[in-house]
Amino acid sequence: MNEDDGLSFMRKLAFDGRFLRLYQLADGVPFAGREVVFSGTVEQAEVSEKTVSFRLRDRLVELQKDLQPTRYLGTTTSAGKGVEGTENDLKDRPKPLAFGRVFEVPLVQVNAFDGLWQGAQNAIASCEAVYSSGLTLTRVGAAQPDLASLMAVTLTQGQYAVMLSPFIVRIGGKVTGTITADYTEGATAAQRTTAQLVRRILLFAGKVEGVDFLPADIAAFDTVAPAEQGVWCAPEDMQIQAPLYRLLAGVGGFLTTDRLGRFRFGQFRAPTGTPRAIFTEIEILDDGQAIETLATSDEGNGVPTSKVTVTHTQLWQTQDGSAVNGAVDDARRAYLKTATRSAVAEDASVKVRHLLASEITFASLLTNSTDATAEADRQLDLRKVRRDFIQIKVPSAAAVGIDLGDTVMVRVPLLGLDDGKLFVVTRMIEELDSEDDGEIEAVTLELWG
């Protein structure tokens, strides 16, 4: 309340982007017994003659900030051995990043005077190959520990040497055409899973494991999605969320926040196993409609899917025609021409029953056809049958212990749910009671299954 004008000074304060935590505290309970109702970000404060209100957003808005704060300085000259580009080409552009295994990445020329090219500012584990207009160059020596050592390597035309932290390539002789490379960040395949890449990107963005996201989510995601992926972040402005969503989309992943303000992620899967809770007519609150059916927002609009395509082995630079060196064979030319390859899973019987059966494509960053085929099969099994997307409201006591991604059962004599059906919790909305005593009265659950 601002009836005495005592809060008007807030108009001069900068609330935008600040972390906010909202607590509930019942009468007679000490402050130490408070319970978090919401954690998020303030968009802005609105101060009027009588009230002060805050526009709040969940913490996903934090992922709309730039991922890479480090920029090229543009200070490289012919007299030095810098890797900052010049004022006329790279100055103030963000330095590239790589997470996982990547193919045909166009390297950034950071020093034209000394033949130096960059693939990533962060450290990588290995460089598998470097190409000039698609033609494989010859590597000389082991990875060098620093720039001085890299410059000391003797190179001739068609040869190159590397340092891995940051990832810099030095090429001997005259360079023509596009320089690309295949390289790997993350020493083992177990360090290049979707969960591990999401983890490292969040850490790079300044998030704290155990505070901003949960190790348990990482472990659970690794268990169900152990395939490796790879993403390259080009030297251009890119939000934190961009590589995260690209990685998650390819394996049916999700990213959200919970009421404690933590980033939660995992793989969207069919409900299985023992339900965390069973909701019947007794638990479900009837506000005129006990169960509300919702429209799905997937590509097929809820219609069962007959065909799933998963793209994989992303080339970050395609080349064709005269851009490819004349010595490159036909097989590699065909490879360089296409940005991705595809794995397909199909069930023709679905079209017999569902005449408008959908065909869905997932653009993944998986690194091989075997893993892409397995994901296509999984997605088809998930989507080729009719699914229900419903919303119910239950008392807060009935929702204790339930979390996003949990499996629950709904058993009511409606909508064919007489024998009970398993659902996955996809969203939870907590409602304060109407008497304003600060307690959560009910929880609305969005369920898919």
Side-chain angles (χ1 to χ4, degrees):
M1 303 298 291
N2 193 36
E3 293 181 348
D4 62 355
D5 202 42
L7 299 178
S8 293
F9 72 93
M10 289 187 172
R11 296 178 64 249
K12 300 179 180 180
L13 302 180
F15 288 99
D16 55 292
R18 308 296 179 179
F19 181 77
L20 177 140
R21 181 169 288 150
L22 180 64
Y23 298 99
Q24 68 172 6
L25 188 65
D27 291 340
V29 176
F31 187 68
R34 66 194 184 279
E35 181 182 356
V36 177
V37 175
F38 172 81
S39 294
T41 301
V42 180
E43 184 176 81
Q44 69 180 66
E46 297 179 344
V47 181
S48 69
E49 183 179 345
K50 293 185 177 181
T51 64
V52 176
S53 59
F54 293 91
R55 289 186 183 179
L56 306 181
R57 299 188 63 177
D58 66 37
R59 293 189 65 196
L60 289 178
V61 70
E62 296 177 23
L63 303 183
Q64 296 174 9
K65 298 178 181 178
D66 286 342
L67 171 65
Q68 173 60 293
T70 305
R71 308 270 167 160
Y72 285 111
L73 300 177
T75 55
T76 299
T77 66
S78 59
K81 296 181 174 61
V83 289
E84 295 292 338
T86 70
E87 186 173 1
N88 296 323
D89 53 19
L90 295 180
K91 181 175 171 57
D92 294 329
R93 290 177 61 184
K95 294 186 176 183
L97 298 166
F99 300 92
R101 190 178 180 194
V102 290
F103 306 95
E104 298 293 335
V105 173
L107 302 187
V108 180
Q109 189 174 40
V110 292
N111 185 330
F113 311 104
D114 296 310
L116 298 174
W117 304 71
Q118 185 167 23
Q121 183 222 354
N122 55 324
I124 68 167
S126 61
C127 173
E128 284 69 51
V130 174
Y131 311 96
S132 177
S133 297
L135 187 66
T136 304
L137 302 181
T138 301
R139 178 165 167 172
V140 175
Q144 302 300 313
D146 50 46
L147 188 58
S149 301
L150 183 65
M151 292 302 300
V153 178
T154 300
L155 298 174
T156 60
Q157 186 73 36
Q159 295 181 330
Y160 73 96
V162 303
M163 63 181 287
L164 302 180
S165 182
F167 177 42
I168 303 290
V169 176
R170 177 170 161 246
I171 300 176
K174 184 179 180 180
V175 176
T176 59
T178 301
I179 301 299
T180 59
D182 299 339
Y183 52 96
T184 302
E185 183 272 344
T188 66
Q191 294 175 327
R192 301 191 291 270
T193 63
T194 304
Q196 295 300 324
L197 300 188
V198 168
R199 172 183 176 272
R200 288 203 291 281
I201 291 171
L202 288 174
L203 291 174
F204 183 87
K207 306 308 177 186
V208 179
E209 188 168 10
V211 176
D212 297 310
F213 61 96
L214 303 178
D217 283 353
I218 300 287
F221 204 167
D222 269 342
T223 298
V224 298
E228 66 174 325
Q229 293 205 79
V231 62
W232 182 62
C233 304
E236 58 191 36
D237 290 329
M238 177 179 293
Q239 295 180 346
I240 300 166
Q241 65 184 6
L244 293 176
Y245 286 134
R246 283 225 57 188
L247 289 164
L248 292 166
V251 293
F254 65 86
L255 173 64
T256 187
T257 58
D258 61 19
R259 68 184 177 95
L260 298 180
R262 300 172 301 194
F263 296 103
R264 306 297 304 274
F265 48 87
Q267 188 180 58
F268 196 64
R269 303 176 68 84
T272 58
T274 302
R276 181 65 63 95
I278 299 175
F279 299 118
T280 67
E281 292 175 285
I282 297 175
E283 292 81 18
I284 299 174
L285 301 175
D286 189 348
D287 292 339
Q289 186 174 4
I291 298 180
E292 181 179 354
T293 58
L294 305 175
T296 64
S297 58
D298 60 13
E299 189 175 335
N301 295 317
V303 178
T305 299
S306 64
K307 180 180 180 181
V308 170
T309 300
V310 174
T311 63
H312 63 91
T313 317
Q314 166 86 45
L315 304 191
W316 297 93
Q317 175 70 59
T318 58
Q319 300 177 71
D320 191 19
S322 60
V324 181
N325 189 290
V328 175
D329 62 37
D330 290 343
R332 179 157 170 75
R333 282 178 177 275
Y335 171 79
L336 293 172
K337 184 178 180 180
T338 307
T340 60
R341 282 113 283 279
S342 297
V344 177
E346 189 169 9
D347 187 341
S349 68
V350 177
K351 285 188 174 183
V352 176
R353 179 176 176 83
H354 300 279
L355 302 184
L356 297 179
S358 61
E359 297 183 1
I360 300 178
T361 296
F362 294 90
S364 89
L365 295 174
L366 295 166
T367 61
N368 61 74
S369 61
T370 300
D371 290 334
T373 298
E375 179 60 18
D377 289 339
R378 187 189 76 84
Q379 289 283 5
L380 182 61
D381 287 342
L382 190 67
R383 298 170 183 276
K384 69 181 183 181
V385 297
R386 189 187 65 79
R387 298 290 185 177
D388 292 319
F389 189 29
I390 64 173
Q391 177 177 286
I392 63 173
K393 182 187 291 188
V394 299
S396 59
V400 171
I402 294 176
D403 203 353
L404 295 171
D406 282 349
T407 294
V408 299
M409 177 180 284
V410 176
R411 187 168 60 217
V412 294
L414 297 168
L415 303 174
L417 301 176
D418 306 64
D419 297 327
K421 183 175 181 178
L422 296 179
F423 290 86
V424 174
V425 179
T426 62
R427 189 182 184 196
M428 301 176 65
I429 305 171
E430 295 172 316
E431 302 177 16
L432 299 179
D433 69 16
S434 57
E435 297 183 1
D436 296 324
D437 65 1
E439 294 188 2
I440 298 173
E441 180 180 47
V443 179
T444 296
L445 302 174
E446 291 186 2
L447 310 174
W448 182 92

